[in-house]
């Protein structure tokens, strides 16, 4: 069978009297001189090749014909086609296998690690296990990240423990200060009361000076005790607001009357400015608002040697239920360096050491004002009015903003 497939028939077609045979001429084409030419004729079952031979004179002498069955050609084509199909199937299988192993060995572990990282980010739970037993690069990455989360977890536990200890110490400190303030304030009120009774008796001038010094010192100490008690309550979160209707104009006037004697002794004019059309019947904590205003006015009075102190009240925003008020205290005192404006609202802080030595004080007043206003939903700040090119020669206006609900009554 293989021999039959490989059989090649060779024949020579000579020139007869009538010329070449019809099939040979058909292979070369009618009317074409086949001299020096070759031709190929393809049939269904065989392939015929022709080559023209010339004699020594250059004339056509014969045509060589080679005849070969097409079985071999068909086998070759089929073999090539089959090989191509097999290569395509093999390449596709290799590609699918590569994708499968890539997904299983690389993509899936990285996706799992990424999902665990996202879970840690969304939940904050550092206890999620991201370790991997593999020893390749993905396993090393997972192990390193597991060590990182373990370190973060330990650091977080240490910080939480330190925070709890700090809060416990802070609460203990606040409670101690509150208890001590109460214990000290009770006998201090007794000292003030007995000193006042002593001053109502007949005393010599020298004894009167001594009694006045005792009164001033006791009042100063009582003021410090009250400040410490207030700051302790605020820090401990035990200061509650007492919201009730009150007259805003009356509160401001009471504050001015309370400090009028001290201002008169220093020949300082104390002025209150409240527009006639302002709404004065409001609801809020009048006691704490009075405390803030007295603190600001007392602070201005302490740092002012001459001139005037003005407290202005105005409306900033108003709607049917609530109004935002602006309280501004302006003095003609020593002023504040602009670089220290934020510093003066910190606890136990004054502008500099010379201020403490000259005027005294604990540095708690403005800090208490700020924390009280924060508790009431307000704010406090300072704006400057320059009176000369020198930054020091300026008057600071302490400005408070407070939102109060409107109460009943006219105003």
């Amino acid at each position: 069978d293989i021999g039959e497939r490989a059989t090649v028939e060779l024949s020579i077609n000579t020139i007869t009297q009538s010329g070449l045979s019809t099939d040979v001429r058909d292979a070369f084409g009618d009317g074409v001189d086949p001299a020096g030419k070759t031709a190929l004729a393809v049939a269904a079952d065989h392939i015929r090749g022709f080559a023209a031979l010339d004699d020594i004179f250059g004339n056509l002498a014969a045509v060589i014909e080679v005849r070969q069955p097409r079985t071999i050609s068909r086998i070759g084509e089929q073999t090539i086609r089959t090989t191509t199909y097999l290569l395509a199937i093999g390449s596709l299988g290799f590609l699918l296998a590569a994708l499968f192993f890539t997904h299983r060995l690389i993509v899936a572990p990285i996706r799992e690690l990424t999902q665990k990282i996202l879970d840690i980010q969304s939940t904050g739970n550092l206890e999620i296990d991201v370790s991997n037993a593999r020893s390749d690069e993905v396993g090393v990455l997972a192990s390193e990240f597991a060590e990182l989360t373990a370190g973060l977890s330990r650091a977080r536990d240490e910080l939480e423990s330190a925070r709890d200890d700090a809060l416990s110490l802070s609460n203990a400190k606040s409670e101690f200060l509150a208890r001590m303030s109460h214990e000290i304030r009770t006998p201090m009120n007794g000292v003030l009361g007995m000193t006042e009774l002593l001053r109502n008796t007949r005393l010599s001038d020298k004894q009167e000076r001594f009694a006045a010094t005792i009164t001033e010192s006791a009042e100063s100490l009582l003021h410090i005790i009250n400040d410490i008690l207030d700051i302790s309550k605020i820090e401990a979160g035990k200061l509650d607001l007492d919201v009730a209707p009150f007259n805003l104009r009356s509160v401001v006037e009471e504050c001015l009357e309370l400090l009028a004697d001290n201002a008169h002794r220093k020949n300082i004019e104390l002025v209150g400015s409240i527009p006639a059309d302002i709404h004065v019947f409001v609801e809020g904590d009048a006691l704490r608002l009075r405390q803030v205003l007295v603190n600001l006015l007392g602070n201005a009075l302490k740092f002012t040697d001459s001139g005037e102190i003005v407290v202005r009240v105005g409306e900033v925003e108003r709607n049917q239920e609530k109004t935002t008020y602006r309280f501004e205290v302006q003095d003609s005192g020593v002023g504040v360096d602009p670089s220290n404006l934020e510093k003066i609202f910190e606890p136990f802080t004054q502008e500099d050491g010379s201020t403490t030595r000259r005027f005294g004080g604990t540095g708690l007043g403005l800090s208490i004002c700020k924390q009280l206003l924060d508790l009431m939903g307000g704010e406090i700040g300072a704006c400057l009015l320059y009176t000369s090119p020198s930054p020091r020669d300026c008057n600071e206006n302490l400005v408070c903003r407070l939102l109060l609900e409107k109460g009943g009554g006219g105003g």
Side-chain angles (χ1 to χ4, degrees):
D1 185 48
I2 295 178
E4 293 179 358
R5 294 179 182 178
T7 298
V8 177
E9 298 178 0
L10 178 65
S11 59
I12 300 176
N13 299 297
T14 58
I15 304 298
T16 62
Q17 222 174 14
S18 58
L20 292 170
S21 60
T22 302
D23 56 348
V24 174
R25 295 194 66 84
D26 289 342
F28 282 96
D30 295 337
V32 179
D33 185 4
K37 303 290 185 177
T38 60
L40 185 67
V42 179
D45 58 345
H46 64 273
I47 300 174
R48 298 169 67 193
F50 301 92
L53 298 177
D54 299 335
D55 57 14
I56 58 176
F57 301 105
N59 297 321
L60 180 64
V63 175
I64 299 177
E65 178 184 355
V66 178
R67 182 187 179 97
Q68 179 182 0
R70 292 196 62 185
T71 305
I72 296 297
S73 299
R74 286 196 297 271
I75 292 174
E77 292 176 359
Q78 185 177 1
T79 302
I80 293 173
R81 190 180 298 111
T82 302
T83 303
T84 303
Y85 289 155
L86 291 176
L87 287 175
I89 294 173
S91 299
L92 180 60
F94 177 79
L95 180 60
L96 291 176
L99 290 175
F100 173 75
F101 285 107
T102 300
H103 181 272
R104 182 174 181 179
L105 299 177
I106 299 177
V107 177
I110 292 179
R111 182 179 297 173
E112 182 181 0
L113 178 60
T114 303
Q115 184 59 46
K116 290 181 178 180
I117 294 174
L118 293 176
D119 292 341
I120 292 174
Q121 180 182 5
S122 60
T123 62
N125 182 16
L126 295 175
E127 304 300 327
I128 297 177
D129 186 15
V130 296
S131 60
N132 195 308
R134 294 170 49 171
S135 59
D136 56 1
E137 288 79 359
V138 177
V140 172
L141 177 62
S143 299
E144 292 294 329
F145 193 81
E147 292 181 5
L148 176 62
T149 55
L152 290 175
S153 179
R154 290 192 297 270
R156 184 185 63 181
D157 293 340
E158 293 175 359
L159 288 175
E160 289 178 351
S161 177
R163 179 202 61 189
D164 294 340
D165 292 341
L167 289 176
S168 177
L169 290 174
S170 178
N171 292 333
K173 177 206 69 174
S174 299
E175 186 175 354
F176 171 76
L177 290 176
R179 289 181 181 274
M180 290 302 298
S181 298
H182 279 296
E183 295 298 327
I184 297 174
R185 188 163 54 175
T186 301
M188 187 56 60
N189 285 326
V191 171
L192 284 172
M194 295 306 297
T195 304
E196 184 66 24
L197 292 176
L198 178 63
R199 295 182 66 182
N200 290 332
T201 62
R202 180 174 297 183
L203 301 174
S204 64
D205 293 339
K206 188 175 182 179
Q207 290 173 332
E208 177 63 28
R209 289 196 305 271
F210 290 163
T213 301
I214 294 174
T215 301
E216 292 176 0
S217 299
E219 289 177 348
S220 177
L221 182 57
L222 186 61
H223 180 71
I224 294 173
I225 294 172
N226 290 333
D227 285 346
I228 293 175
L229 181 61
D230 287 338
I231 201 75
S232 301
K233 284 184 177 180
I234 294 173
E235 290 181 351
K238 296 181 178 180
L239 185 64
D240 298 325
L241 298 178
D242 183 16
V243 179
F246 67 93
N247 188 310
L248 188 61
R249 189 186 303 276
S250 298
V251 170
V252 175
E253 291 175 351
E254 289 172 4
C255 296
L256 295 174
E257 291 175 359
L258 186 62
L259 297 174
D261 290 341
N262 293 335
H264 179 71
R265 284 196 294 267
K266 297 182 69 173
N267 292 322
I268 296 175
E269 186 177 2
L270 201 57
V271 181
S273 175
I274 304 177
D277 59 345
I278 196 173
H279 190 93
V280 296
F281 292 95
V282 295
E283 291 185 2
D285 193 330
L287 177 63
R288 297 304 172 185
L289 177 60
R290 185 183 296 107
Q291 182 179 356
V292 170
L293 292 177
V294 169
N295 212 325
L296 295 180
L297 289 170
N299 203 58
L301 187 60
K302 180 171 67 172
F303 292 100
T304 302
D305 293 329
S306 61
E308 65 178 8
I309 298 173
V310 181
V311 54
R312 298 184 180 90
V313 181
E315 294 181 351
V316 179
E317 295 179 2
R318 176 194 291 187
N319 56 34
Q320 294 181 351
E321 297 180 354
K322 297 182 179 182
T323 302
T324 301
Y325 292 92
R326 173 188 173 100
F327 301 86
E328 180 178 346
V329 177
Q330 178 182 349
D331 63 69
S332 56
V334 296
V336 178
D337 192 315
S339 61
N340 294 325
L341 287 179
E342 295 296 330
K343 177 182 176 182
I344 60 177
F345 294 103
E346 298 176 2
F348 302 101
T349 303
Q350 293 189 343
E351 185 180 8
D352 52 39
S354 61
T355 303
T356 305
R357 290 190 298 270
R358 179 180 175 186
F359 298 99
T362 60
L364 286 174
L366 292 180
S367 175
I368 293 174
C369 290
K370 184 178 185 304
Q371 296 191 52
L372 285 175
L373 286 169
D374 290 341
L375 190 63
M376 292 188 290
E379 59 182 3
I380 187 172
C383 63
L384 298 179
L385 296 177
Y386 290 95
T387 55
S388 74
S390 174
R392 183 71 191 186
D393 295 332
C394 60
N395 293 332
E396 79 281 2
N397 290 1
L398 293 177
V399 179
C400 307
R401 288 175 179 264
L402 185 60
L403 181 64
L404 298 173
E405 294 187 2
K406 292 182 179 180

